């Protein structure tokens, strides 16, 4: 008798549509209200954010439709006491329904793919007056290189860009896969050993934005970050001129001539990451335990030992710590003066 009664189950299509419609409206409203991305700072960001909104418009109703039918079926057609040995009614398929649920998703997919392709072509369009910046990923730091007409490129661990000037990044990796990502620009590409990947950005907003490594690349992945500074063209030219000044010729990091070891330790040199972000040192008032405590590790050590610890951190790994986390490029990013100031400072204060 049960089987007979089950067969007469009517599916309340109208109710399901109403529930689905309300849920879709709530889902779309929530999807559009949430700030998924940080502030947009490039011409590429606009079309990408718009594409994302369109994806929400289309995918939320599909998700709601499928979820509504699944939940409805689980409740409506659940097994009731006494039905343990019953089989459901035979199903012979429904050609019209199958054609509809194949055709509609196919059309949605083709339209979305076409739209995404148009956005991709748009954001990758070559611009006149493009500036080239070479980006190198290395465990666990970024280096940015600005080719110059005199053949001596400027190197920096901080990304400076002039506002409204189209830039093309040429991205490489030295060791393993990394991924060069500036969320505010919305653009992101893998840095792959052995090949060069590229993308274009035109910064449109002055400000400071994070550069993030978006590919798990080892123990220091989470600290593989840098800063993008979008400045006015005049400020950018001034920065380039400063980098070219003879005093910085040795390192090209851009700090002042009278580098102060303690400031370098706590704040970095405006380019390289500050040591104090990872190391405890009483004199500098830093307390992080990511790396060895320098009051212990460096107490009584000579300048050569301290310098090696900065420029070649892999040579000797402190007991209880894993190698490979500290960036290996301080020899490049600190000028000779800065390195000397840092070594002198650490020699004077460590363990005191
Ligand atoms: Cu480099 Cu993650």
């Amino acid at each position: 008798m049960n089987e007979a009664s089950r067969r007469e189950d009517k599916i309340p299509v109208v109710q399901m549509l109403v529930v689905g419609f309300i849920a879709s409206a709530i889902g779309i409203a929530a999807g559009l209200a949430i700030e998924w991305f940080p502030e947009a700072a490039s011409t590429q960001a606009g079309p990408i954010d718009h594409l994302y909104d369109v994806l929400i418009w289309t995918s939320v109703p599909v998700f709601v439709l499928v979820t509504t039918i699944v939940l409805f079926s689980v409740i409506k057609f659940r097994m009731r006491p006494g039905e343990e040995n019953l089989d459901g009614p035979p199903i012979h398929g429904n050609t019209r329904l199958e054609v509809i649920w194949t055709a509609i998703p196919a059309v949605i997919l083709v339209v979305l793919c076409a739209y995404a392709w148009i956005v991709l072509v748009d954001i990758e369009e070559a611009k006149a007056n493009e500036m080239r910046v070479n980006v190198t990923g290395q465990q666990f730091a970024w280096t940015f290189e600005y080719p110059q007409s005199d053949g001596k490129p400027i190197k920096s661990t901080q990304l400076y860009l002039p506002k409204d000037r189209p830039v093309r990044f040429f991205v490489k990796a030295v060791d393993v896969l990394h991924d060069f990502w500036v969320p505010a620009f919305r653009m992101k590409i893998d840095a792959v050993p052995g090949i060069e990947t590229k993308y274009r950005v035109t910064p449109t907003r002055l400000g400071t934005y994070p550069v993030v490594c978006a590919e798990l690349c080892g123990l220091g992945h989470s600290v593989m970050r840098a800063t993008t500074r979008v400045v006015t063209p005049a400020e950018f030219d001034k920065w380039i001129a400063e980098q070219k000044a003879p005093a910085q010729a040795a390192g090209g990091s851009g700090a002042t001539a009278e580098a102060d070891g303690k400031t370098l330790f706590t704040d970095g040199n405006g380019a390289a990451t500050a040591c104090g972000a990872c190391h405890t040192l009483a004199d500098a008032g830093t307390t992080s335990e990511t790396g060895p405590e320098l009051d212990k590790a460096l107490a009584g050590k000579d300048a050569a030992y301290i310098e090696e610890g900065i420029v070649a951190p892999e040579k000797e790994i402190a007991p209880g710590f894993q190698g490979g986390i500290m960036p290996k490029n301080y020899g490049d990013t600190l000028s000779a003066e800065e390195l000397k100031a840092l070594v002198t400072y650490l020699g004077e204060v460590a363990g005191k």
Side-chain angles (χ1 to χ4, degrees):
M1 303 321 111
N2 259 325
E3 198 179 351
S5 74
R6 293 291 290 275
R7 271 185 198 162
E8 283 158 23
D9 280 347
K10 281 273 186 301
I11 298 174
V13 175
V14 176
Q15 269 165 272
M16 284 168 71
L17 281 176
V18 170
V19 170
F21 183 78
I22 294 171
S24 286
I26 295 171
I28 289 172
L32 297 180
I34 293 169
E35 291 280 350
W36 298 99
F37 302 118
E39 268 170 319
S42 76
T43 52
Q44 283 72 13
I48 291 172
D49 290 2
H50 195 250
L51 171 64
Y52 195 82
D53 285 346
V54 172
L55 290 178
I56 286 177
W57 272 107
T58 42
S59 56
V60 168
V62 172
F63 173 76
V64 170
L65 176 73
V66 172
T67 313
T68 308
I69 292 175
V70 167
L71 288 177
F72 174 83
S73 304
V74 165
I75 296 164
K76 177 88 178 165
F77 303 114
R78 70 186 185 280
M79 189 189 73
R80 292 172 176 85
E83 295 181 340
E84 285 81 357
N85 296 321
L86 279 183
D87 203 356
I91 293 171
H92 301 291
N94 184 324
T95 309
R96 192 167 54 166
L97 195 58
E98 283 171 29
V99 168
I100 291 172
W101 78 38
T102 305
I104 291 180
V107 170
I108 293 176
L109 269 182
V110 168
V111 170
L112 286 180
C113 285
Y115 176 34
W117 184 74
I118 290 168
V119 170
L120 194 62
V121 170
D122 178 33
I123 61 178
E124 290 189 330
E125 194 192 5
K127 303 278 189 334
N129 192 29
E130 268 178 358
M131 180 173 88
R132 179 185 174 126
V133 177
N134 299 322
V135 179
T136 305
Q138 180 182 8
Q139 289 173 324
F140 295 98
W142 294 105
T143 310
F144 305 100
E145 202 183 83
Y146 300 74
Q148 298 297 308
S149 49
D150 63 6
K152 287 183 209 151
I154 287 167
K155 274 191 192 179
S156 171
T157 48
Q158 182 147 254
L159 178 60
Y160 272 80
L161 297 173
K163 182 175 174 281
D164 296 326
R165 170 92 185 262
V167 183
R168 193 168 193 204
F169 295 106
F170 291 76
V171 184
K172 283 190 296 191
V174 173
D175 36 34
V176 299
L177 276 179
H178 302 276
D179 192 297
F180 174 54
W181 184 30
V182 181
F185 294 159
R186 306 291 189 271
M187 301 294 287
K188 179 166 171 278
I189 201 158
D190 272 1
V192 185
I195 67 168
E196 192 173 56
T197 52
K198 309 169 186 87
Y199 69 68
R200 294 185 163 96
V201 154
T202 306
T204 52
R205 205 166 167 280
L206 298 175
T208 304
Y209 311 101
V211 177
V212 181
C213 178
E215 186 69 60
L216 185 59
C217 54
L219 279 170
H221 162 69
S222 64
V223 297
M224 189 167 166
R225 285 166 170 258
T227 303
T228 312
R229 285 175 196 277
V230 179
V231 297
T232 62
E235 283 173 317
F236 182 76
D237 292 344
K238 189 168 155 250
W239 178 76
I240 288 282
E242 278 170 16
Q243 305 307 301
K244 280 186 175 173
Q248 275 85 50
S253 60
T256 53
E258 45 305 328
D260 163 23
K262 186 169 178 175
T263 309
L264 283 168
F265 188 90
T266 52
D267 300 340
N269 62 359
T273 316
C275 323
C278 292
H279 292 282
T280 294
L281 183 69
D283 185 77
T286 59
T287 54
S288 173
E289 290 174 358
T290 305
E293 183 181 341
L294 298 181
D295 289 307
K296 288 180 187 156
L298 300 182
K301 301 289 187 186
D302 63 8
Y305 180 89
I306 297 173
E307 182 173 326
E308 189 183 278
I310 298 170
V311 300
E314 297 298 283
K315 269 200 162 176
E316 187 185 323
I317 306 297
F321 289 89
Q322 276 180 285
I325 296 181
M326 181 160 157
K328 301 178 204 65
N329 64 348
Y330 285 124
D332 292 331
T333 59
L334 295 166
S335 69
E337 287 168 330
E338 287 167 339
L339 186 59
K340 196 167 165 237
L342 203 49
V343 169
T344 308
Y345 169 70
L346 287 168
E348 281 168 6
V349 305
K352 302 276 156 43

